[in-house]
Amino acid sequence: MNRFVIVLLALLLTACDRAEEPSGFAGLAGVAESEHEIQFLQPGPGDRLSFPADFGPHPQHRIEWWYLTANLETENGRPLGLQWTQFRQALTPRSVESEPPKPTLWPLEAAWMAHAAVSYSGQHRFAEKLARGDVGHAGATAQPFSVWLDHWHLRPASGHVGWRLSVATEHWSYDLLLQPQGDPVAHGDDGFSAKSASGEGSMYFSLVDLKIEGTVTLEGDTLRVAGTGWFDREWSSQFLKAGQQGWDWFALHLDSGDKLMLFQLRETQQAFRSGTWIPATGEPVALGPEQIGLTSVGQPAGYPRRWQITLPAFDVNLEVSAPAGDYRNSGLYPYWESPVSVTGSHSGVGYMELTGYRAQ
Amino acid sequence: MADNLISVTGLSKQFESGDQHVTVLRELSVHLGRGESLALTGPSGSGKSTLLNVLCGLESPGSGRLAMLGQPLAGDGAPTGKALERTWCELRQSRLGVVFQDANLMPTLSLLDNIRLRARLAGRDDTSAGDWLQRLGIGELGQRYPDQVSGGQRQRAALAMVFVTRPALILADEPTGSLDRRTAETVADELFELQARHGCGLVLATHDADLAARCLHQLDLGHQGGP
Amino acid sequence: MSPRIALFSHYRRHPLQLAALAAMILLASALWTGIHHLTSQARTSLEQSERAVAERQQSVREDGNPVSVQDFVNLRRQGLCVMPWLEVPVPGRGRLVGIDPLAAHCFAEPGHTPAPWQGELDGKPFVDISEAAAQASAEASALVLLVSQADGQSPPPAGYRYQAFAVAPDTAELGDSFLLNLDALGVLVLLITSLLLRSVFLLGLAQRRESLALLYRYGVNRSQLSRLLLVENLLLALVCILPGVWLGRALSLVLADGFGQALEGLFDRLLYAGGGEDWWLPTLTMVAVIVAACLAGVRDSSGSLLTRVQPAFFAVLLALGLAVSLWAPTLIWLFLAVALVFLAAGWLAPLAIAGVVRWLARNTGDPLIRWRLQEVAVLVRRLALPLVALQFALALVLAVHALVTTFEDTFDQWLGQRLEADYYIEVPQGADITAAVSWLAAKPELVSPELWHQVIRGRASVQTASGREPVPVDVFALGPVSHLVQNWRLLAQTETPWQALARGEGLMVNEQLARRQQLAVGDRLIVRLGARRLQAPVLAVYPDYGRPSGEVLVPASLLPEDFEARFRSLSISAGIEEIKVVEAQLARLWHTPQLTVRDNQAIRTLATDVFDQTFLLTRAMTTLTLILAAAALLLMVWVFLSTRAWYFRLLIVWGMPQRQAATQLTRVSLALIFAVLVCALPLGVWLTWILVQRINPLAFGWSLPMAVYPGFWIELAVLALIIGLSIALLMRLQLRRPASAPESAHGLQGGER
């Protein structure tokens, strides 16, 4: 990787004191000891979600993201996986009410990073964009709901109910209409999603069923696509506990109409697991660590491509596997983001995100 | 001016060879009168060339007394330093004639030019250079260069060079050593003839017993050389 | 005893000869490695500094308003990869450049060298743009939006256009030109090196002639002998080349250290990269040179080659080389011409010297003079190779001196042309220059009317009256045509060009344009300046060193209203107090709290620093070449004299006092060296001409003024005197040593004529 990363890292870390322990994936495990940290808000049990405001940014939190994964099909029925994510990383906390700094000062209070990926026919395409916040070319608003970085943007669709997401890179692009079905699902304790046994966590909700249609253009070939998407909103000031190495995250659309989100945060000896079971009918159920069985199957090193998921309480016994191919997003912070297929007690599709592994 | 052309008394000469001192000449006494000739004989390394070099001032005598043509040059009354060098130079310019076995001539000059140059250095008129070549029978070779003539012709030219300066004493080191027997004899004849005619002294270092026998005196250095 | 041992046993008896041979190989390797490394170091450093000041593309508004953060956002939101570059003057520290590393992310091209800002943002000169923005008032500092190279290829978004952006005057071509010349010199040094090696090799061969002859007589055939010699030399080369290469590197590093520092000083950051680890190139080159030097005609060492080939052949070769150099349409032809001329000059010089002294010798009546002249002839023949090497080295030093001095002068002029006034005030974007101009014109007591002008730069197209395709050119407009420019050196001119220019009766063109369009004074040009179509005669051609593009100089009065100025400034020569008044008034007029005022002297010092060290190094290196050539010559002289000493001593045998004999020998050696110097002078002058007048126009389209600096010839003569006296000293030492009589008076024992 080029020296730019070093520059960026140096920049991003200027506001944080150096951690004694490794600072985790993408610096997400910052240690809460710096002076600025006092001003960053840390979510905790009892915090509640508020709509539509929580679709917008949370400047007093250090990190947050808008995260879309989609399992689509082309007109002739071939699967196409798609991701769009925008991250915000604050260097200086700011309360929601206070005036943002003037763009002419080129403030460096927050950095934005956008990722987009398309997985099709065993090929994984990835692009990354960076920007500083408060200048104007990257940002997010709750009303109207809009998230953008340069010419990649998610915004209300004109003439439709729902949102339009467009992303373009030199070689490929997509333009999608997203129509959320149903209400946001709050994870964990009414939206506070614990990330360790000792209480670190984030605010986390999802739109688990988005009807998606649109076009994906790969090297000049335009494909009409349609399918299902999953949209996450999550924010925190300390996401990973120091010592946590990474996470494995799954969002599954089961053919039964049930949905499942679960993740584990890996530590040296153990893992912290959590999830949400969203039945086709009825209320979502938060899953405690003891309710989840999650093991990787048959791969000693590298990113595990096959997993065994069991939820004994719900008679769920799934095998989740990534299709053939390399689904690493090789940006500043490499991680795995792949569509998966589900077999076992239920069948279905979904997305899997793996971080903190050493590539094989 | 004294009668003796050469007056050497108690001359010793040592060379340093590594840690060793090699005595080449030991307590040597040589005297040569006007018109006399002396043959230096002895095996190689017995000091013949060294003695000749001392006699023409190219090497310093180690110890002992040396006077040439009446001028003291080593020992009591001899000049030193620059004056000594000046005296030797004056002697060599016009009073001493030196003949080596070969290579007596500047290779870059013709025979005639060699003789003219020699005459000029001796302060003599160089117009007689051609005559000398004629007298030695190589008059037609004057424009030739030393490497264009035979060894005998070169030695004749060397004799011409010596006599053009009208020397009082000739020091000859194996002057016929590189010549075949017949040529050697001719050259030797010319040498003795000219010596006799001009009445100059001659010191001749040679291996050739016949040649040595033609000299008035003989000095066998083989008996006194060695360590 | 095997032939191998027999051959080598010579060196066991004469270890000094072996040591001399080894020393020569070592020094020659060191010399060439040093030159090679220095050149590549200079190249790397210049490339890096060029990258730092390289011209890039910027996006500007079509309406002429300065770009703002909003423009940046607009462009980025349209998907364009632009990056902000905020230059802030910092009193006492020069400038700070604020950049946005996050926005620069899209500039990264895989596999490319990192851009200059992709290092630490440590204020040398790059800082994060927020820091730069905090340091200066937004109005005084200039925001530039750089466009990535990829996006710069496609058309700009509506409302914007692209234009060039450079942070400093680009010395690129001047630097390139110098480096090209340095390369040419490197090749010549290699030639000299191989001559020296060859002469050392032949010397060794001559010294061992007897052993070789003996082995030959014993039935070892010639090819076997050649093979043995080759193997021996290769082994010797291997042993000596590596330490030589190391020595050369060490030498160049020591010398180049200062060079790097100079660059660092200029660009506020570490730019010096060093020459990399390529030790193998000099090593291989040296091995090749040694093999070539040793293989070329092993049998010949007596100089008979000199007479074998007719001098007439080389005279034809020389004439051919000179003709080709005049005509050469490309650099390759030119280099061929240089090779031909050097080859012929190298062959002819010893022949010519020998011929002349022989002729002189024939025409003198004095046998002593004749002897001296003839000795010179012998020395010339015997020492032909090292003498030719010395001749080349002298020519090289001469040419390099002229080149370097020319470059220095040129650089001064180049700066002078750009920095003709004491102060430069940049006109901020959007500021009204007319108000400033009329204010200045109304204040003759403050600034003399002859000592200021405005400079406007932009683009135009030019068409010759003969109707060729219009070509784009740079426009350099002056108003008024002040005295500041009128001392420019013009290459060609009408009678009163500046007055005519001031009256708007014509224009001037730079040398590049004149060469490319074959323009002469008086030719009529059609210039399209914005909407105006102007037809005017060429009043003069001015030199414009280092600029890649053609340029026309017009009076500002001829510029139309809509002329799109890329750059505007005021050049003013005035006292410090006066300039302060001017500055304050202009700041008021332009509603700018702070003006960019540049001080001539500061820029000049900065810019001169880049080249000074290079020039110094180049001189040092060529001088080293000369010293090496001289050392080689002395070595040869010593060996040769040891066989010749007997004959020198004849003078003493014949009664010449030692001192007089020594004087004779001194005269011989001085005559020899001065003959070589005389042969070197025309070669050096010719080489100078090639370097400044031929290589540059062919490579870059502009020429350097030709000057020969005869004053330097005196310095060279002193150098030659020193070499000559050194030879004489060696001769004297030989005179003092007792010489043994050669066994025969034949050539190989020193008796040649």
Side-chain angles (χ1 to χ4, degrees):
Chain A
M1 206 173 288
N2 62 30
R3 291 164 76 191
F4 176 79
V5 177
I6 301 160
V7 174
L8 185 79
L9 277 175
L11 253 164
L12 293 180
L13 291 174
T14 39
C16 326
D17 281 350
R18 300 296 146 99
E20 287 290 305
E21 292 185 74
S23 52
F25 175 74
L28 294 180
V31 174
E33 281 174 5
S34 81
E35 286 172 35
H36 291 307
E37 193 69 10
I38 300 159
Q39 297 167 24
F40 276 120
L41 291 178
Q42 177 60 33
D47 285 2
R48 290 290 170 264
L49 299 171
S50 150
F51 300 115
D54 279 339
F55 276 95
H58 300 79
Q60 208 167 349
H61 289 80
R62 190 197 297 281
I63 42 169
E64 67 181 315
W65 55 67
W66 292 256
Y67 218 125
L68 175 81
T69 53
N71 296 94
L72 309 177
E73 277 188 2
T74 63
E75 279 175 314
N76 43 20
R78 300 180 65 185
L80 183 146
L82 186 145
Q83 176 211 353
W84 166 86
T85 313
Q86 192 156 323
F87 303 88
R88 185 187 63 83
Q89 164 114 28
L91 305 172
T92 318
R94 186 170 74 226
S95 71
V96 184
E97 307 82 45
S98 63
E99 274 289 301
K102 269 200 249 168
T104 47
L105 292 174
W106 298 91
L108 186 59
E109 294 191 356
W112 292 81
M113 174 165 76
H115 285 176
V118 173
S119 308
Y120 181 62
S121 286
Q123 263 201 318
H124 187 70
R125 295 169 176 82
F126 170 74
E128 179 173 60
K129 278 184 155 295
L130 297 172
R132 69 176 60 212
D134 307 310
V135 169
H137 62 123
T141 55
Q143 274 189 307
F145 178 46
S146 183
V147 186
W148 70 94
L149 196 161
D150 293 348
H151 56 310
W152 296 4
H153 44 219
L154 176 71
R155 56 188 162 179
S158 53
H160 291 88
V161 179
W163 310 324
R164 190 177 160 201
L165 172 65
S166 21
V167 159
T169 73
E170 201 182 337
H171 301 293
W172 53 271
S173 62
Y174 53 74
D175 194 353
L176 306 172
L177 178 66
L178 317 174
Q179 290 174 308
Q181 315 287 309
D183 291 330
V185 173
H187 297 289
D189 175 8
D190 281 338
F192 174 73
S193 165
K195 294 292 189 268
S196 77
S198 52
E200 286 85 357
S202 61
M203 296 308 291
Y204 184 10
F205 71 89
S206 303
L207 290 164
V208 299
D209 190 7
L210 287 102
K211 193 166 156 271
I212 298 180
E213 55 181 47
T215 54
V216 176
T217 305
L218 305 173
E219 276 88 30
D221 286 343
T222 301
L223 307 165
R224 292 211 60 82
V225 291
T228 311
W230 180 297
F231 180 78
D232 273 354
R233 276 292 286 118
E234 192 160 8
W235 60 96
S236 180
S237 286
Q238 187 181 12
F239 189 87
L240 290 187
K241 197 181 84 172
Q244 287 177 332
Q245 297 155 340
W247 66 79
D248 310 308
W249 172 91
F250 300 84
L252 307 177
H253 306 274
L254 304 179
D255 292 342
S256 56
D258 306 318
K259 314 272 179 183
L260 173 63
M261 184 286 295
L262 57 85
F263 61 84
Q264 67 173 0
L265 291 134
R266 300 188 308 277
E267 292 176 46
T268 325
Q269 296 300 321
Q270 60 198 44
F272 177 82
R273 294 193 185 117
S274 178
T276 307
W277 173 256
I278 305 137
T281 51
E283 287 302 300
V285 183
L287 304 171
E290 71 290 347
Q291 290 175 284
I292 303 167
L294 179 62
T295 45
S296 63
V297 182
Q299 193 174 331
Y303 290 100
R305 316 171 62 95
R306 290 173 62 209
W307 294 80
Q308 184 81 37
I309 296 174
T310 53
L311 304 174
F314 299 90
D315 290 328
V316 170
N317 187 346
L318 308 174
E319 183 162 311
V320 172
S321 57
D326 183 356
Y327 296 89
R328 269 177 301 160
N329 283 348
S330 6
L332 291 177
Y333 311 102
Y335 60 98
W336 179 282
E337 188 82 38
S338 72
V340 289
S341 57
V342 180
T343 55
S345 63
H346 299 67
S347 60
V349 293
Y351 247 83
M352 167 169 88
E353 178 174 287
L354 311 173
T355 74
Y357 288 93
R358 216 167 270 171
Q360 192 63 337
Chain B
M1 197 183 271
D3 278 353
N4 274 349
L5 289 177
I6 300 174
S7 174
V8 172
T9 317
L11 179 78
S12 290
K13 173 95 181 155
Q14 286 187 326
F15 285 109
E16 281 177 38
S17 168
D19 300 338
Q20 287 193 320
H21 292 275
V22 180
T23 306
V24 185
L25 304 170
R26 179 177 294 160
E27 292 294 326
L28 191 70
S29 294
V30 181
H31 297 274
L32 191 71
R34 287 189 180 277
E36 290 180 351
S37 57
L38 166 70
L40 301 177
T41 58
S44 295
S46 56
K48 302 190 295 288
S49 297
T50 306
L51 180 56
L52 282 179
N53 278 342
V54 169
L55 293 180
C56 66
L58 294 176
E59 277 179 40
S60 66
S63 60
R65 287 172 49 176
L66 168 66
M68 299 288 289
L69 283 73
Q71 298 200 44
L73 290 158
D76 294 342
T80 53
K82 291 223 156 114
L84 178 67
E85 202 208 326
R86 201 180 315 121
T87 313
W88 271 121
C89 283
E90 282 163 13
L91 280 174
R92 284 199 300 270
Q93 270 170 24
S94 54
R95 310 293 289 150
L96 297 177
V98 183
V99 185
F100 301 103
Q101 182 175 329
D102 199 350
N104 289 294
L105 308 166
M106 287 293 186
T108 46
L109 293 179
S110 65
L111 301 189
L112 189 64
D113 280 337
N114 264 291
I115 296 160
R116 287 179 59 216
L117 174 60
R118 186 68 188 90
R120 236 194 67 143
L121 290 178
R124 310 282 186 211
D125 176 19
D126 64 5
T127 49
S128 62
D131 301 342
W132 276 105
L133 285 175
Q134 291 289 352
R135 284 170 68 175
L136 284 155
I138 48 173
E140 73 284 6
L141 300 178
Q143 294 311 317
R144 298 263 184 106
Y145 287 88
D147 62 339
Q148 292 174 324
V149 301
S150 71
Q153 289 162 337
R154 271 205 296 280
Q155 285 308 77
R156 285 199 191 102
L159 292 184
M161 278 176 85
V162 165
F163 286 101
V164 80
T165 64
R166 285 176 253 150
L169 174 64
I170 299 166
L171 303 169
D173 190 356
E174 301 277 10
T176 59
S178 61
L179 306 177
D180 63 81
R181 179 120 205 115
R182 268 189 57 188
T183 317
E185 276 175 14
T186 329
V187 169
D189 288 348
E190 277 158 0
L191 173 61
F192 282 109
E193 197 251 324
L194 285 168
Q195 183 241 339
R197 190 187 306 163
H198 292 268
C200 43
L202 170 68
V203 179
L204 180 75
T206 182
H207 280 105
D208 186 343
D210 292 344
L211 199 58
R214 294 173 70 168
C215 291
L216 188 61
H217 309 286
Q218 285 81 26
L219 174 61
D220 187 357
L221 291 173
H223 289 302
Q224 60 90 49
Chain C
M1 190 155 77
S2 78
R4 193 160 12 106
I5 296 167
L7 202 59
F8 197 74
S9 65
H10 171 87
Y11 286 135
R12 245 189 324 211
R13 274 187 293 125
H14 304 281
L16 270 181
Q17 285 180 6
L18 184 66
L21 190 61
M24 278 307 301
I25 295 178
L26 195 141
L27 282 178
S29 311
L31 172 72
W32 198 72
T33 311
I35 297 262
H36 172 75
H37 273 277
L38 208 70
T39 315
S40 52
Q41 278 165 5
R43 167 158 289 118
T44 317
S45 303
L46 268 176
E47 272 167 10
Q48 283 183 334
S49 57
E50 274 162 21
R51 251 205 319 274
V53 299
E55 195 171 86
R56 295 190 174 82
Q57 290 236 291
Q58 59 170 324
S59 185
V60 296
R61 293 174 62 99
E62 270 196 323
D63 62 12
N65 287 328
V67 289
S68 64
V69 181
Q70 196 48 50
D71 292 296
F72 169 72
V73 171
N74 283 346
L75 292 169
R76 289 290 294 214
R77 301 269 351 237
Q78 290 180 53
L80 198 72
C81 177
V82 288
M83 143 183 168
W85 172 291
L86 184 67
E87 221 172 305
V88 179
V90 183
R93 272 186 59 197
R95 64 203 169 96
L96 274 181
V97 177
I99 54 121
D100 179 2
L102 295 152
H105 183 56
C106 58
F107 273 67
E109 287 170 54
H112 277 246
T113 43
W117 56 78
Q118 282 173 275
E120 263 182 86
L121 298 179
D122 52 4
K124 294 178 176 177
F126 294 104
V127 292
D128 185 77
I129 190 163
S130 59
E131 213 179 300
Q135 292 246 359
S137 51
E139 292 83 1
S141 49
L143 177 69
V144 171
L145 297 180
L146 294 183
V147 185
S148 77
Q149 202 164 10
D151 283 349
Q153 311 291 324
S154 25
Y160 295 91
R161 58 186 177 77
Y162 296 151
Q163 71 178 39
F165 167 73
V167 292
D170 185 3
T171 62
E173 282 212 340
L174 215 53
D176 281 352
S177 154
F178 191 76
L179 287 178
L180 182 69
N181 283 318
L182 213 58
D183 276 350
L185 298 180
V187 174
L188 286 179
V189 169
L190 194 64
L191 180 70
I192 294 172
T193 310
S194 51
L195 274 176
L196 295 181
L197 286 172
R198 168 117 184 112
S199 61
V200 169
F201 170 72
L202 291 183
L203 175 76
L205 214 57
Q207 287 167 339
R208 289 190 292 168
R209 180 158 294 270
E210 284 168 63
S211 326
L212 290 172
L214 208 61
L215 284 171
Y216 183 56
R217 245 176 277 144
Y218 290 163
V220 183
N221 65 35
R222 277 193 197 284
S223 63
Q224 217 176 332
L225 278 180
S226 307
R227 244 194 333 273
L228 276 175
L229 283 172
L230 181 67
V231 168
E232 183 190 290
N233 279 290
L234 274 181
L235 283 177
L236 193 62
L238 284 180
V239 172
C240 303
I241 283 177
L242 283 179
V245 167
W246 179 84
L247 189 70
R249 272 186 66 93
L251 192 71
S252 64
L253 283 179
V254 167
L255 289 171
D257 213 24
F259 185 64
Q261 279 168 9
L263 281 174
E264 228 178 290
L266 180 62
F267 297 108
D268 300 332
R269 56 192 312 246
L270 189 72
L271 287 165
Y272 172 69
E277 287 304 311
D278 64 333
W279 51 269
W280 53 269
L281 184 64
T283 310
L284 287 183
T285 312
M286 287 315 295
V287 171
V289 166
I290 287 172
V291 170
C294 299
L295 276 184
V298 165
R299 277 167 234 170
D300 173 75
S301 69
S302 61
S304 63
L305 258 181
L306 284 179
T307 46
R308 211 154 61 203
V309 189
Q310 287 297 317
F313 172 73
F314 288 107
V316 169
L317 219 56
L318 183 68
L320 190 68
L322 292 174
V324 170
S325 74
L326 273 170
W327 157 84
T330 62
L331 278 180
I332 296 295
W333 281 103
L334 200 59
F335 288 143
L336 182 76
V338 172
L340 280 179
V341 168
F342 266 76
L343 181 72
W347 280 110
L348 285 175
L351 289 179
I353 297 173
V356 168
V357 291
R358 287 244 155 92
W359 179 81
L360 288 173
R362 269 199 304 279
N363 289 293
T364 178
D366 185 332
L368 194 57
I369 295 174
R370 185 172 290 170
W371 172 78
R372 280 204 307 264
L373 289 168
Q374 295 280 42
E375 285 299 315
V376 171
V378 170
L379 284 172
V380 163
R381 218 181 42 215
R382 279 308 302 256
L383 304 170
L385 283 176
L387 283 175
V388 168
L390 182 70
Q391 178 201 5
F392 287 0
L394 283 168
L396 191 69
V397 169
L398 189 103
V400 164
H401 174 269
L403 176 76
V404 165
T405 316
T406 303
F407 258 100
E408 275 173 338
D409 292 354
T410 305
F411 194 63
D412 267 1
Q413 286 178 27
W414 177 81
L415 278 176
Q417 215 161 301
R418 283 156 182 78
L419 309 174
E420 67 283 332
D422 294 343
Y423 296 96
Y424 302 89
I425 302 178
E426 266 182 38
V427 181
Q429 277 168 318
D432 180 14
I433 195 169
T434 18
V437 166
S438 29
W439 180 78
L440 271 171
K443 295 274 179 192
E445 73 284 356
L446 194 63
V447 181
S448 154
E450 301 295 354
L451 292 181
W452 68 270
H453 59 241
Q454 55 163 325
V455 167
I456 303 164
R457 292 185 185 272
R459 300 283 289 166
S461 71
V462 153
Q463 201 175 355
T464 48
S466 55
R468 255 179 288 181
E469 283 292 292
V471 288
V473 289
D474 290 343
V475 171
F476 176 30
L478 278 178
V481 180
S482 76
H483 279 176
L484 292 174
V485 289
Q486 297 190 13
N487 54 358
W488 281 16
R489 195 176 69 86
L490 297 174
L491 297 175
Q493 59 180 87
T494 54
E495 225 160 85
T496 51
W498 295 109
Q499 288 84 332
L501 185 77
R503 288 192 300 268
E505 288 166 2
L507 45 81
M508 298 188 181
V509 297
N510 72 349
E511 183 188 359
Q512 285 81 330
L513 186 63
R515 275 183 191 273
R516 271 172 226 163
Q517 299 299 313
Q518 281 139 26
L519 296 178
V521 166
D523 289 356
R524 294 192 79 79
L525 281 183
I526 300 162
V527 186
R528 196 174 289 278
L529 290 160
R532 174 177 285 186
R533 197 165 161 282
L534 175 78
Q535 192 168 16
V538 174
L539 297 171
V541 178
Y542 58 93
D544 196 7
Y545 318 108
R547 179 188 287 277
S549 43
E551 187 182 78
V552 292
L553 169 57
V554 295
S557 54
L558 287 185
L559 292 183
E561 286 289 316
D562 69 337
F563 184 74
E564 202 175 271
R566 294 164 71 194
F567 176 83
R568 285 166 186 272
S569 73
L570 286 167
S571 305
I572 300 174
S573 280
I576 288 195
E577 293 309 315
E578 285 80 3
I579 205 72
K580 277 186 184 154
V581 176
V582 170
E583 204 183 330
Q585 174 62 22
L586 291 183
R588 260 197 304 285
L589 272 176
W590 292 336
H591 313 293
T592 309
Q594 202 180 0
L595 284 175
T596 312
V597 180
R598 289 178 202 240
D599 171 4
N600 179 335
Q601 206 50 47
I603 309 178
R604 199 177 281 264
T605 316
L606 207 64
T608 320
D609 280 353
V610 196
F611 276 109
D612 272 0
Q613 191 70 16
T614 324
F615 291 155
L616 197 71
L617 288 181
T618 312
R619 283 198 173 121
M621 276 304 180
T622 47
T623 311
L624 196 67
T625 310
L626 184 62
I627 290 170
L628 193 74
L633 179 64
L634 291 180
L635 187 76
M636 305 303 220
V637 164
W638 177 253
V639 174
F640 172 67
L641 287 187
S642 62
T643 62
R644 194 75 174 172
W646 170 267
Y647 296 99
F648 294 159
R649 275 172 67 86
L650 278 183
L651 290 176
I652 297 191
V653 171
W654 295 344
M656 188 180 276
Q658 193 103 21
R659 184 189 300 267
Q660 264 183 45
T663 308
Q664 293 298 327
L665 293 178
T666 306
R667 293 169 81 166
V668 167
S669 60
L670 288 183
L672 176 73
I673 290 303
F674 278 97
V676 171
L677 179 62
V678 165
C679 289
L681 285 181
L683 192 63
V685 171
W686 180 80
L687 187 61
T688 311
W689 176 75
I690 286 289
L691 291 178
V692 303
Q693 293 269 295
R694 297 293 294 142
I695 289 186
N696 255 321
L698 282 183
F700 305 106
W702 47 273
S703 65
L704 288 159
M706 169 86 184
V708 288
Y709 307 100
F712 183 66
W713 298 6
I714 295 168
E715 282 178 51
L716 270 191
V718 171
L719 256 167
L721 186 73
I722 291 169
I723 298 172
L725 289 177
S726 308
I727 293 177
L729 185 73
L730 291 183
M731 288 174 160
R732 273 173 202 233
L733 288 175
Q734 290 280 17
L735 266 188
R736 298 238 169 92
R737 280 155 51 111
S740 55
E743 284 160 32
S744 85
H746 274 282
L748 296 170
Q749 273 141 358
E752 61 266 74
R753 62 186 163 87

